[in-house]
Amino acid sequence: MRIVTTPMCEGILRIAGVRGYRVSRTPEDEDADIAFVLSETPVEGAIKLRLNTFPQIREAVDLVFKTIHAMDPESLKYSSTDEIDFEVCSPWWHDPSRLRERNSKIKVRVYSNFLREIVEDMGFSVVEGAADFTVCPDYMELDCIRVPSHRNLPLDPVKRALFRYRYLERKLCMKP
């Protein structure tokens, strides 16, 4: 079976234990049986992965594993998701309920869908009006907290998420 993924999704296939996949910046040009791409990538028939938050990363690993397992179990290193031994050294990966509760009092205005997902997962109150902080992607020229976008971070989705969570935690967890 020919499996293709983009560089931004490769880390998920690695975690899920997929073997023998090909990495391509243009998966639509590959003769693949199955392709895994970021959710915003316009590739018809591909499986779209959301990789902005830690829960989305966990769901993506599960989706990739189950999809490959149903099509070609021999392409997997593991025989079940229980065998996947992967942890992230972050309180946001494990049980962030206490952190979310603490953050719920902080109002944040967000100028991006991918950042909104992260800010909401961190428990901040997302608002449209008066806010304690405003965040936007680094490609927007606004006077606010500018968070690095995909182009300015590692390709690995876990490292990207970890950087963004830590960055936002440093910037937002201090009520003005």
Side-chain angles (χ1 to χ4, degrees):
M1 181 165 81
R2 294 195 59 179
I3 305 164
V4 174
T5 190
T6 58
M8 302 273 283
C9 295
E10 180 183 13
I12 299 301
L13 274 70
R14 210 175 319 113
I15 294 166
V18 178
R19 293 189 266 218
Y21 58 86
R22 182 176 167 87
V23 179
S24 173
R25 292 193 184 279
T26 55
E28 65 275 8
D29 295 340
E30 301 288 331
D31 183 27
D33 297 310
I34 191 163
F36 295 98
V37 299
L38 284 177
S39 60
E40 57 269 20
T41 307
V43 176
E44 193 173 321
I47 295 180
K48 312 272 182 153
L49 304 177
R50 298 199 65 73
L51 303 175
N52 296 319
T53 67
F54 286 130
Q56 289 173 346
I57 290 170
R58 270 196 218 85
E59 290 168 14
V61 169
D62 195 53
L63 175 62
V64 167
F65 181 88
K66 288 179 177 173
T67 301
I68 299 298
H69 191 267
M71 296 178 77
D72 182 16
E74 296 300 313
S75 292
L76 291 167
K77 184 173 15 174
Y78 309 114
S79 58
S80 79
T81 54
D82 294 337
E83 293 178 29
I84 298 172
D85 184 24
F86 182 80
E87 290 291 322
V88 175
C89 186
S90 168
W92 295 104
W93 180 263
H94 298 281
D95 181 18
S97 57
R98 185 181 51 80
L99 297 169
R100 286 183 181 132
E101 184 179 326
R102 178 195 70 195
N103 292 345
S104 67
K105 297 171 183 67
I106 301 172
K107 297 177 188 170
V108 182
R109 186 171 186 169
V110 184
Y111 284 100
S112 160
N113 288 335
F114 84 89
L115 287 174
R116 176 180 295 272
E117 291 173 355
I118 298 167
V119 168
E120 286 175 344
D121 185 57
M122 293 178 79
F124 295 105
S125 295
V126 176
V127 297
E128 294 299 321
D132 299 316
F133 298 98
T134 301
V135 298
C136 73
D138 59 0
Y139 55 79
M140 295 179 84
E141 296 296 326
L142 298 175
D143 185 23
C144 64
I145 297 169
R146 295 173 63 199
V147 180
S149 59
H150 295 323
R151 289 179 212 92
N152 297 316
L153 287 174
L155 290 175
D156 183 273
V158 175
K159 289 179 183 176
R160 262 194 326 268
L162 195 54
F163 177 88
R164 287 179 178 147
Y165 275 73
R166 285 178 178 164
Y167 184 80
L168 286 168
E169 189 170 39
R170 268 195 329 268
K171 296 291 186 175
L172 302 178
C173 291
M174 300 167 280
K175 191 158 171 68

